[in-house]
C-alpha cells in the first residue's frame, strides 16, 4: 500500500497550523485510505501509455501504516480521498 496526499491538503494543514500558532507538534499528512501499489502502477502506466509488468519481482517494502489521527483530532482536518485526485 502507498499513502498519498493532495497538495491542496498540505497547504490547508500548513495554513491551519500557522493560524492556530501551533509549535512543536508533528502531524503525519496522509489521506485516510492508502492505495494498493499495483492499482497506482496500473493507473500510471495507463496515463503514460506504457506497459506494466505484471510478473515482476516482488516489492520489498515494509508494510507501514501511517496514522493521520493526530492532525484530524487536533485540527479537525479531513483529507480528500485519493480517488478524487487519482481516479483508480
Amino acid at each position: 500500500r502507498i499513502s498519498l496526499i493532495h497538495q491542496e491538503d498540505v497547504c490547508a494543514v500548513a495554513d491551519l497550523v500557522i493560524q492556530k500558532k501551533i509549535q512543536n507538534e508533528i502531524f503525519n499528512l496522509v489521506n485516510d485510505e492508502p492505495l494498493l501499489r499495483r492499482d497506482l502502477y496500473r493507473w500510471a502506466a495507463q496515463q503514460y501509455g506504457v506497459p506494466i509488468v505484471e510478473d515482476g519481482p516482488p516489492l520489498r517494502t515494509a508494510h507501514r501504516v501511517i496514522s493521520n489521527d493526530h492532525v484530524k483530532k487536533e485540527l479537525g482536518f479531513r483529507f480528500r480521498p485519493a480517488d478524487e485526485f487519482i481516479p483508480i
Side-chain angles (χ1 to χ4, degrees):
R1 294 184 172 266
I2 188 167
S3 296
L4 302 173
I5 184 170
H6 195 279
Q7 66 186 8
E8 290 177 10
D9 285 348
V10 173
C11 295
V13 170
D15 190 46
L16 284 171
V17 168
I18 291 167
Q19 286 178 25
K20 294 178 181 258
K21 298 180 180 172
I22 296 172
Q23 297 181 5
N24 302 317
E25 292 281 338
I26 295 173
F27 296 106
N28 294 320
L29 304 183
V30 294
N31 66 357
D32 291 324
E33 293 295 324
L35 296 173
L36 293 175
R37 285 180 184 268
R38 73 169 178 263
D39 292 341
L40 179 62
Y41 295 164
R42 285 183 185 139
W43 174 82
Q46 210 173 29
Q47 293 298 303
Y48 292 100
V50 296
I52 187 163
V53 178
E54 296 287 347
D55 296 325
L59 295 172
R60 292 186 178 150
T61 58
H63 295 281
R64 297 182 195 118
V65 176
I66 299 170
S67 172
N68 63 12
D69 289 344
H70 182 59
V71 70
K72 292 192 302 186
K73 179 182 171 191
E74 292 298 317
L75 301 177
F77 192 80
R78 295 291 172 246
F79 294 94
R80 68 186 74 212
D83 62 3
E84 281 188 19
F85 53 96
I86 297 183
I88 294 180

